[in-house]
């Protein structure tokens, strides 16, 4: 296979190849437990939070930026929903207010990035701490528990599929359509690919920057609500470090850290890979400390591979 054909193949199927390779490796390492259908469903269920956060991170990275606050936003949304549920608010109101609060945090991120012209890395590094602190203030540093039964029911099954999995499938379809078939989706890709050219084309850079961050926080909040339903309590430390998982899912899924390139389906596969690694290492009784090392190495390896392939493509064009 020539280099050019390999690049085309890897761009289309690289993430799937990584997923199959990891699945085969864990199946060999734990043949009695890992490949069982029940465990495969469990992997997909565990991956739903990673995928939803990756959906949000996808749009921040698409603009050649990043959002380090998605974990704190997820935690904040879970706390809001939990607190409202204890006040007796109906489930739909609790969820809607939680998502609205997440969107407001995203607007705040986007507005600062746009108004002060500061790189999203710096802005979201700061707001990550701010949002986490607000959550700690609201809860007093204590978990919010004894929640109504409907909270746990949000993670129950409809047929053989858990509700969070159905939610991810719906979100994947909606975002696939949004990124491929709408003007707004195409403009986000154009802005991430070349900001100056996008401006000359008449794209409102300010509005789309804010939009990307609102979407990022909205899906982070959705992930936080799913996390709440799975745990059954709102932990003020929930989602801590999950921005790493979200970033890893995106870059493993083939999204370029330099902006303008990526696929929603890649983020889905990347999220499943993160869930698969976590599940496989847990089954094999590997320390959670080592799991962090593996995640970090995967991020570096994925970005390095994308850079190498991109450089090779540029050399051939010359």
């Amino acid at each position: 296979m020539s280099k050019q054909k390999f690049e085309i193949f890897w761009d289309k199927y690289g993430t799937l190849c990584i997923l199959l390779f990891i699945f085969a490796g864990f199946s060999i390492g734990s043949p009695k437990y890992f490949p069982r259908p029940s465990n495969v469903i469990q992997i997909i269920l565990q991956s739903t939070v990673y995928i939803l956060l990756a959906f949000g991170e996808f749009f921040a990275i698409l603009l050649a930026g990043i959002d380090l606050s998605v974990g704190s936003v997820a935690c904040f949304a879970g706390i809001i929903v939990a607190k409202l549920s204890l006040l007796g608010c109906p489930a739909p109101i609790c969820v809607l207010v939680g998502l609205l609060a997440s969107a407001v945090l995203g607007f705040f991120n986007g507005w600062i990035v746009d108004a002060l012209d500061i790189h999203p890395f710096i802005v979201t590094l700061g707001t990550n701490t701010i949002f986490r602190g607000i959550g700690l203030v609201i809860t007093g540093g204590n978990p919010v528990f004894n929640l109504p039964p409907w909270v746990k029911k949000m993670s129950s099954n409809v047929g053989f599929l858990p509700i969070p999995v159905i939610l991810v499938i719906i979100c994947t379809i909606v975002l696939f359509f949004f990124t491929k078939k709408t003007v707004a989706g195409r403009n986000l890709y154009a802005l991430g690919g070349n900001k100056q050219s996008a401006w000359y084309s008449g794209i409102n850079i300010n509005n789309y920057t804010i939009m990307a961050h609102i979407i990022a926080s909205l899906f982070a909040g959705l992930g936080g609500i799913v996390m709440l339903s799975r745990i059954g309590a709102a932990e003020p430390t929930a989602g801590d470090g999950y921005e790493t998982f979200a970033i890893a899912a995106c870059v493993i899924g083939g999204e370029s850290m330099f902006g303008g390139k990526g696929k929603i389906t890649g983020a889905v596969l990347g999220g499943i890979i993160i869930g698969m690694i976590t599940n496989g290492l847990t089954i094999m009784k590997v320390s959670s400390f080592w799991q962090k090392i593996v995640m970090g190495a995967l991020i570096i390896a994925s970005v390095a591979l994308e850079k190498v392939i991109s450089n090779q493509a540029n050399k051939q064009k010359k």
Side-chain angles (χ1 to χ4, degrees), residues 48-58 70-71 74 219-220 223-224 242 246:
T48 52
V49 173
Y50 304 140
I51 294 170
L52 290 170
L53 264 64
F55 282 159
E57 194 70 54
F58 176 90
V70 290
F219 278 97
Y242 271 46

Side-chain angles (χ1 to χ4, degrees), residues 14 22 74-75 137 147-148 163 213 265:
I22 293 173
C75 174
V137 169
L147 304 180
I163 291 176
H213 284 280
T265 50

Side-chain angles (χ1 to χ4, degrees), residues 230-280:
R230 295 201 62 222
I231 298 173
E235 295 280 351
T237 56
D240 188 26
Y242 271 46
E243 61 275 3
T244 304
F245 297 139
I247 295 167
C250 289
V251 296
I252 293 169
E255 186 172 19
S256 173
M257 292 296 291
F258 307 102
K261 178 187 174 186
K263 299 175 182 176
I264 286 296
T265 50
V268 174
L269 293 175
I272 293 174
I273 287 172
I274 299 299
M276 188 179 295
I277 292 171
T278 304
N279 179 275

